[in-house]
Amino acid sequence: MAKQPLSQEARSILQSKVSRRTVLAGAGAVAGAGALASCGFGGGSDSSNAVRWGNWPLYLDVDDSGKKYPTLEAFTKETGIDVKYFEDYNDNDEFFGKVQAQLKLGKDIGYDLVCPTDWMSARWIRLGYTQKFDAANIPNASNILDTLASPSFDPKRESSLTWQGIMGGFGWNTAKNPKGIRTLDDLFSPGNKGKIVVLSEMRDTVGIILRSQGVSLATVTEDQFMNAVDFLAKKIADGWIRGVKGNEYAEDLTSGDATAVIGWSGDMFILKSENEGKFDFAIPESGGTISGDNMMIPSTVTEEAKANTEKLINYYYEPSVAAEVAAYVNYVCPVKGAQAEMEKIDPDLAKSEFIFPSAKTMANLSVFRSLTPTEETTWTEAFQKAAGN
């Protein structure tokens, strides 16, 4: 693929710094997402040649009108392949439930490209619901960051490539925590009692506790997991943790209801940039988590559509294109070379540890290992019980 310069739309987006999770947590988010949901666009090409892509809301560069995706339009102009883009992901289980019956029957599910999170990607692969890539069609796959190159659910990256990476760590109000938060002891300092919120994403919250207890997320056992859950349950029962929440934890920080969180890097990037340094984020000294949403081709996709989809995946692993997306979504860019491309456009963003973690930071991040179906059920139930759900 020829390298694409950042579009004018993307340049303006660089100043808006929008995060999909933060925006969706705010008032009117559902309506905003709905306006773009199931919104394809045409580039003058044959619609029968289109790639149908299901992704999460606010997870791709979009222009000021909210109706056009600059990188997608550039792809269509270059290749003649139309892309029908659907913001149809709200929850991993919900999306999977919508397409599972067709997958099981081998019938078309309406998507040629899907973007489940790591643990759900593991389920798709385990059940045989994905196709292996034709490596010749995705030469840019070699650009994936080394840290993301060999996950337990797809060690050779034969069926998946990271769309964006998500770091889990500590976020805090800098006025209430002037020395910052680097350890669990810092998180549970007296001044934060009753004002701590942790993520409802089990692998991030329990994962960070496990790392603090010296446990490897690649080899965690059930006994180790349950010990960490017991720790969490006691902190909730003793009144240290005010809530176990999803996207809305960011609102608790901005309202002052929370002074410290286990949160996501992208959200904290936004909170920090929009509130003049009132908030900050760090990977725990003992280690944080990293996960990703993955581009995958369902088992039901035709051979022709698969080849076109692979061209699209390859396009987004072009460093200049990846940089354009990173400028909008503010999550960890999984593509080598994108940082150098970003330096040409916005040196400050290129230096951001939120988007381009240093090698030292990446070395301190771990992917939670794949769980068996039995573990997933048992461990999730234990976590939800501790969380009061």
Side-chain angles (χ1 to χ4, degrees):
M1 286 288 175
K3 292 187 176 182
Q4 301 290 331
L6 281 184
S7 62
Q8 281 299 116
E9 292 89 344
R11 291 174 190 273
S12 66
I13 286 166
L14 280 167
Q15 307 307 318
S16 67
K17 311 264 196 315
V18 181
S19 158
R20 72 177 171 102
R21 284 186 167 88
T22 301
V23 171
L24 289 178
V30 174
L36 280 171
S38 300
C39 180
F41 70 87
S45 60
D46 181 2
S47 62
S48 65
N49 196 36
V51 172
R52 302 162 300 170
W53 183 2
N55 204 352
W56 299 82
L58 304 177
Y59 216 22
L60 185 65
D61 54 302
V62 65
D63 69 359
D64 290 339
S65 74
K67 297 178 180 179
K68 294 182 178 180
Y69 304 95
T71 56
L72 279 185
E73 293 205 329
F75 172 77
T76 296
K77 182 177 180 181
E78 183 174 328
T79 65
I81 300 170
D82 194 6
V83 181
K84 296 191 178 299
Y85 189 71
F86 304 92
E87 294 193 334
D88 283 358
Y89 264 91
N90 177 60
D91 175 88
N92 278 287
D93 282 315
E94 178 185 289
F95 186 91
F96 183 70
K98 182 173 67 172
V99 300
Q100 183 179 15
Q102 296 102 300
L103 287 168
K104 191 172 183 179
L105 293 171
K107 294 185 177 180
D108 179 44
I109 65 170
Y111 303 96
D112 304 303
L113 184 61
V114 294
C115 287
T117 305
D118 286 341
W119 61 271
M120 179 58 78
S121 297
R123 184 187 299 179
W124 280 68
I125 292 172
R126 185 175 68 242
L127 294 173
Y129 292 159
T130 63
Q131 297 190 51
K132 290 186 178 180
F133 299 141
D134 181 342
N137 290 337
I138 314 179
N140 285 337
S142 61
N143 290 336
I144 192 168
L145 294 177
D146 293 342
T147 311
L148 301 173
S150 300
S152 60
F153 62 86
D154 191 14
K156 296 182 180 179
R157 284 292 186 186
E158 295 175 306
S159 303
S160 67
L161 279 175
T162 304
W163 170 243
Q164 300 294 313
I166 306 163
M167 294 189 292
F170 297 134
W172 65 90
N173 180 310
T174 55
K176 303 296 183 181
N177 295 274
K179 295 182 179 180
I181 296 177
R182 302 295 190 283
T183 67
L184 270 191
D185 286 343
D186 293 340
L187 182 70
F188 293 109
S189 63
N192 291 326
K193 188 169 185 178
K195 291 198 169 187
I196 298 169
V197 175
V198 299
L199 292 168
S200 58
E201 176 49 63
M202 177 181 78
R203 289 159 180 81
D204 290 313
T205 291
V206 181
I208 285 171
I209 294 171
L210 284 165
R211 292 299 304 274
S212 75
Q213 296 174 339
V215 176
S216 167
L217 301 190
T219 59
V220 56
T221 66
E222 184 159 322
D223 285 345
Q224 291 170 331
F225 179 87
M226 294 304 172
N227 184 53
V229 168
D230 288 344
F231 175 91
L232 175 66
K234 190 173 190 307
K235 288 298 184 183
I236 294 172
D238 290 348
W240 284 91
I241 296 173
R242 65 174 281 112
V244 181
K245 299 188 175 184
N247 303 337
E248 67 270 27
Y249 78 90
E251 290 184 338
D252 286 52
L253 278 172
T254 55
S255 70
D257 289 339
T259 57
V261 302
I262 290 178
W264 286 309
S265 55
D267 293 337
M268 297 310 303
F269 177 101
I270 300 301
L271 291 179
K272 182 177 182 178
S273 64
E274 292 185 347
N275 292 275
E276 300 179 345
K278 183 179 179 181
F279 304 102
D280 209 345
F281 174 87
I283 300 301
E285 290 178 357
S286 55
T289 60
I290 186 166
S291 58
D293 295 322
N294 299 279
M295 295 184 286
M296 304 179 75
I297 300 176
S299 54
T300 51
V301 173
T302 66
E303 187 175 340
E304 180 183 5
K306 178 175 182 286
N308 287 338
T309 303
E310 288 166 341
K311 290 178 183 178
L312 180 65
I313 293 171
N314 189 64
Y315 169 78
Y316 277 103
Y317 262 67
E318 180 66 51
S320 60
V321 177
E324 187 164 349
V325 174
Y328 180 78
V329 303
N330 300 309
Y331 277 86
V332 178
C333 181
V335 179
K336 293 177 184 177
Q339 186 170 19
E341 293 296 324
M342 188 73 85
E343 286 173 356
K344 303 173 185 176
I345 308 301
D346 189 317
D348 289 337
L349 279 184
K351 294 175 184 176
S352 172
E353 284 272 338
F354 294 93
I355 302 174
F356 301 108
S358 64
K360 181 179 179 180
T361 298
M362 290 296 285
N364 205 25
L365 297 169
S366 296
V367 175
F368 206 108
R369 75 166 175 84
S370 298
L371 304 181
T372 66
T374 299
E375 286 175 334
E376 192 164 322
T377 298
T378 304
W379 296 20
T380 300
E381 287 177 351
F383 174 70
Q384 290 177 342
K385 182 179 180 181
N389 296 334

